Amino acid sequence: MLAGGPIGRFAPSPTGRLHLGSLLAAVASYCQARSKLGKWLVRIEDLDPPREMPGAADDILRTLEGFGFQWDGEVLFQSSRHDRYAEALAALKQGGHVYPCACSRKEWSHLPAYPGTCRNGLPARRERKLDRFRLSGRLQSWPDCFRGEERFDTATMGDFPVLRADGYWAYQLAVVVDDRDQGVTEVVRGADLIDSTPGQMDMWSALSTQEGAKPIPEYGHVPILQTLSGQKLSKQTLARPIQVEEASALLDQVWRLLGQSDSEVWKEAVNRGDPQHLMSLAARLWMPERVPSNPIQLQGWGQDDRL
Ligand SMILES: [Zn+2]
């Protein structure tokens, strides 16, 4: 790798097997990093045991290998990082970026976002249920790798949990701490996570103040895949898992969904049927400016459109 090359990552949760939407995000993050001779990391986000599926982490890694992905270094498992998250939480508390909250979701579910009830201290005779991150209230904007300028006003968003009422670490905290510690410089993921980005940028800045400055990564959000009825493909909606036996055909499908050029050299590689060769070619041919920004509807992958 060239000194100063980008560091990207793919960070699935082991709540089920990879589906076409996960493959799309994996291909985009891989190509975005590798096309600039950067590193590509894999991280397993296993912080929610009740939602996890036994064997899914191994299955995901074997599937990635079968699709020709090669990652740098060891796979990081978030379940091995509890001490580090506790340390980051303490640093955020020390800086006044986190506060205890007594509210249950029921109390504010009629509102568009958590209203900040406990921002200035717990209400009388109420006990802490969880810890929340205090958003800056600033406008956050970034030049998205695929969508152009994105802009969110964090003043209209709700402070989000960092330590959940059930005692589990919240996704937001773990993601930001890991991306910082792993030196990630570009976060490429599905557009379903775009609402998380401004808050994560806020948290990144807060941790930079508390634990040492690191530049905020670049962000790129790829289109989500939907069924014809508009349901997002996800493990929760029982999207059909991808099979290694179909690797070349599915990489070809994802390549075209990502708006990439169906050139002769690409077609020849698809016919050759060697996923590893396809992925290294993909990194060389990658054109981020061709990635579409609207959700993509397709048939045959969701629970509601197959027999
Ligand atoms: Zn509260």
Side-chain angles (χ1 to χ4, degrees):
M1 181 198 129
L2 293 179
I7 301 179
R9 65 9 171 232
F10 178 60
S13 306
T15 50
R17 305 178 62 193
L18 295 180
H19 53 81
L20 201 68
S22 1
L23 182 64
L24 186 107
V27 167
S29 70
Y30 187 90
C31 288
Q32 189 71 8
R34 292 281 202 237
S35 63
K36 293 170 282 181
L37 306 180
K39 288 190 185 179
W40 188 71
L41 314 178
V42 173
R43 182 167 78 219
I44 299 289
E45 304 206 323
D46 52 348
L47 285 181
D48 197 348
R51 287 183 52 230
E52 283 159 25
M53 188 182 97
D58 274 350
D59 182 81
I60 287 170
L61 296 175
R62 267 185 284 116
T63 303
L64 287 174
E65 273 172 352
F67 274 75
F69 291 89
Q70 291 176 306
W71 54 86
D72 290 286
E74 297 286 307
V75 173
L76 183 71
F77 286 80
Q78 289 191 325
S79 55
S80 70
R81 303 260 299 156
H82 294 293
D83 292 350
R84 175 64 186 112
Y85 302 142
E87 182 185 71
L89 177 62
L92 288 171
K93 277 184 182 164
Q94 200 186 20
H97 299 289
V98 163
Y99 61 88
C101 168
C103 305
S104 64
R105 178 136 202 158
K106 265 209 314 270
E107 294 173 70
W108 57 271
S109 56
H110 57 290
L111 300 169
Y114 174 70
T117 314
C118 309
R119 266 193 150 215
N120 301 312
L122 290 173
R125 295 178 302 281
R126 296 291 305 272
E127 281 186 9
R128 174 199 166 279
K129 277 201 177 70
L130 66 155
D131 290 327
R132 279 185 197 278
F133 179 75
R134 189 188 301 277
L135 286 165
S136 65
R138 283 197 301 261
L139 195 69
Q140 287 285 20
S141 62
W142 70 92
D144 196 279
C145 306
F146 313 117
R147 300 165 61 94
E149 191 73 8
E150 285 287 351
R151 174 185 284 272
F152 285 78
D153 184 1
T154 67
T156 66
M157 304 172 73
D159 294 339
F160 53 81
V162 283
L163 188 57
R164 292 167 17 183
D166 58 12
Y168 292 118
W169 297 109
Y171 159 78
Q172 311 282 10
L173 176 83
V175 164
V176 175
V177 171
D178 289 347
D179 283 341
R180 284 173 56 87
D181 289 359
Q182 293 190 284
V184 168
T185 64
E186 53 181 42
V187 173
V188 171
R189 56 188 174 191
D192 50 323
L193 290 167
I194 201 164
D195 292 349
S196 298
T197 300
Q200 290 179 9
M201 292 169 78
D202 260 8
M203 187 184 287
W204 189 292
S205 301
L207 282 167
S208 279
T209 309
Q210 296 304 119
E211 297 191 327
K214 290 188 177 178
I216 290 181
E218 285 181 31
Y219 291 95
H221 296 86
V222 294
I224 53 165
L225 302 184
Q226 296 176 336
T227 63
L228 295 184
S229 62
Q231 191 184 45
K232 177 178 108 72
L233 286 194
S234 73
K235 294 161 195 157
Q236 288 70 40
T237 59
L238 303 179
R240 176 151 72 88
I242 52 172
Q243 308 286 350
V244 168
E245 295 71 31
E246 306 172 278
S248 294
L250 295 182
L251 287 171
D252 184 37
Q253 183 176 6
V254 157
W255 187 247
R256 284 178 280 117
L257 292 173
L258 284 165
Q260 301 299 300
S261 167
D262 205 9
S263 58
E264 281 310 312
V265 55
W266 176 259
K267 282 182 194 152
E268 274 170 36
V270 171
N271 290 335
R272 197 168 128 187
D274 173 359
Q276 217 159 310
H277 172 66
L278 261 183
M279 286 307 298
S280 59
L281 182 63
R284 289 208 300 278
L285 299 176
W286 180 242
M287 296 171 93
E289 64 279 9
R290 297 182 68 130
V291 174
S293 49
N294 292 327
I296 299 168
Q297 290 192 319
L298 74 174
Q299 196 165 16
W301 287 91
Q303 181 191 24
D304 60 348
D305 64 357
R306 66 175 194 263
L307 297 171

